[in-house]
Amino acid sequence: MQYIDLHVHTTASDGTCTPSEVMKIGERIGLKAIAITDHDTLKGLDEVGKTSKKSPIEVVSGIEISSEWEGTEIHLLAYLLDNISDDLRDTIKKLKLSRESRNEGIAYLLNRDGVRVSIEKLRSESRTRIIGRPYFARLLIDKGLAKEIPEAFQKYLTPGKPYFVKRVFPDVKSCLSALRNSGGVPVLAHPIKYNFSNEKLLDCISELKNNGLCGIECMYSGYSKEQVEYLTEIAKKFNLCRTGGSDFHGKNKPDIRLGYGYGELRVPYEYLASLKDAKQKYG
Ligand code: AMP
Ligand code: FE
Ligand code: FE
Ligand code: ZN
């Protein structure tokens, strides 16, 4: 069997490994293909493009976009983009602005409570191109307010907690259309993360499919055998592609290993082949 990883973050967003470092790890562990799916940016692909010619690994262009469906933040992955449309550029620009103003909001609250933080300083010190909540989590750890990143999120950075500031997300339908206009194959990321009931998840997937969704992420770090089977059934029911990936972030999610997740993950190459088929069919 040949294995792949279709969900990987690099320093182009909030991962701590550069795209070339990711490729080296992938080579060492024998992955056949890797999709770089940075949050709200395609910049990770530029660097990989420069180095991947020597690599035996197939690089798949990808992105992960945050969007909104019925008041919930949901993430879309998209693969095999080849012609970035104006509306996708515009969506990316809006996401960047909404993140920046959210970050200003978090910094304001931290400073008000005596935790000194300057976004400019964070940016100049940061290895990653996108300053996201993992950065604020590290800062809270440095100040002794939490021991580990998950604890910092749980205590301070999630809804209802003192340093959570809501971001504005574009509507999922406009994101699906922007991704499809760019030749991308859109997939619903980590469907279990949204805590939807079975009925609501089916409603969501049905509506997304009517608006261009091509697949759902059935394999993901930490998903049990039962959860993978549950999502596989849904994919079959809606005639959607199955995908899978680790959501590797390097040291920002230290227990997740590229290609293996928490240890149990193995995504077969055929999942990528089905994405290519889907692109052929609609393209
Ligand atoms: P942001 O996009 O700035 O709101 O930050 C979201 C990012 O924070 C996600 O992409 C993850 O990388 C990370 N993240 C979210 N929740 C957690 C958590 N509970 N533990 C660790 N990292 C998290
Ligand atoms: Fe992330
Ligand atoms: Fe995500
Ligand atoms: Zn991700």
Side-chain angles (χ1 to χ4, degrees):
M1 265 292 233
Q2 290 179 313
Y3 296 104
I4 61 175
D5 193 331
L6 294 175
H7 193 155
V8 177
H9 297 273
T10 75
T11 46
S13 63
D14 59 353
T16 60
C17 294
T18 64
S20 338
E21 286 165 354
V22 164
M23 297 302 287
K24 278 199 201 110
I25 302 171
E27 215 171 303
R28 180 157 49 76
I29 64 175
L31 288 180
K32 171 90 173 144
I34 292 179
I36 303 290
T37 55
D38 277 305
H39 297 286
D40 311 336
T41 179
L42 291 155
K43 292 212 163 74
L45 293 162
D46 301 342
E47 182 183 328
V48 140
K50 283 178 209 145
T51 57
S52 68
K53 287 186 192 76
K54 291 168 273 165
S55 169
I57 300 178
E58 180 177 347
V59 182
V60 182
S61 70
I63 191 167
E64 183 175 17
I65 293 253
S66 306
S67 71
E68 196 228 291
W69 179 77
E70 295 202 348
T72 302
E73 174 185 349
I74 65 169
H75 290 182
L76 293 174
L77 292 158
Y79 300 102
L80 304 166
L81 302 105
D82 49 17
N83 174 29
I84 308 312
S85 62
D86 287 346
D87 54 353
L88 183 57
R89 280 184 215 287
D90 190 50
T91 303
I92 289 174
K93 206 182 285 170
K94 284 189 183 136
L95 283 163
K96 185 165 175 258
L97 289 174
S98 99
R99 183 188 298 278
E100 283 170 358
S101 68
R102 190 279 316 263
N103 287 352
E104 295 291 344
I106 297 179
Y108 171 82
L109 292 174
L110 286 165
N111 282 315
R112 193 193 58 185
D113 286 358
V115 183
R116 287 260 151 260
V117 49
S118 137
I119 300 286
E120 281 320 307
K121 191 157 174 280
L122 270 188
R123 206 189 304 282
S124 67
E125 288 169 356
S126 159
R127 196 175 187 224
T128 66
R129 291 176 92 128
I130 284 186
I131 308 284
R133 277 181 289 162
Y135 244 89
F136 293 101
R138 280 176 183 277
L139 187 81
L140 290 161
I141 293 168
D142 288 347
K143 302 282 177 193
L145 292 163
K147 285 200 181 65
E148 282 170 344
I149 290 182
E151 186 195 341
F153 267 87
Q154 248 163 36
K155 275 167 93 171
Y156 301 104
L157 295 165
T158 42
K161 300 299 156 63
Y163 303 125
F164 176 77
V165 176
K166 210 172 166 347
R167 266 178 81 188
V168 183
F169 297 107
D171 178 69
V172 68
K173 288 183 197 168
S174 69
C175 292
L176 284 166
S177 141
L179 292 165
R180 288 278 295 247
N181 289 342
S182 305
V185 182
V187 169
L188 179 65
H190 39 63
I192 290 174
K193 222 178 227 175
Y194 313 118
N195 290 322
F196 289 159
S197 64
N198 175 54
E199 195 185 6
K200 190 159 179 190
L201 183 59
L202 297 182
D203 280 353
C204 174
I205 291 173
S206 165
E207 187 176 337
L208 267 51
K209 171 156 187 186
N210 289 335
N211 287 278
L213 188 79
C214 295
I216 61 175
E217 194 173 44
C218 293
M219 291 185 181
Y220 185 73
S221 292
Y223 281 10
S224 66
K225 204 165 146 266
E226 290 72 27
Q227 286 171 322
V228 173
E229 277 165 15
Y230 166 65
L231 294 170
T232 302
E233 282 309 309
I234 296 180
K236 281 191 195 144
K237 180 179 160 78
F238 286 96
N239 195 20
L240 289 163
C241 297
R242 286 178 283 167
T243 73
S246 63
D247 211 357
F248 179 73
H249 279 72
K251 292 198 178 91
N252 278 340
K253 289 192 181 171
D255 299 332
I256 293 181
R257 287 162 63 202
L258 185 74
Y260 292 97
Y262 294 114
E264 78 305 335
L265 191 75
R266 297 289 184 285
V267 182
Y269 186 85
E270 65 190 59
Y271 282 16
L272 173 57
S274 78
L275 291 174
K276 291 178 184 170
D277 286 347
K279 182 174 164 79
Q280 283 280 319
K281 275 188 202 129
Y282 88 71

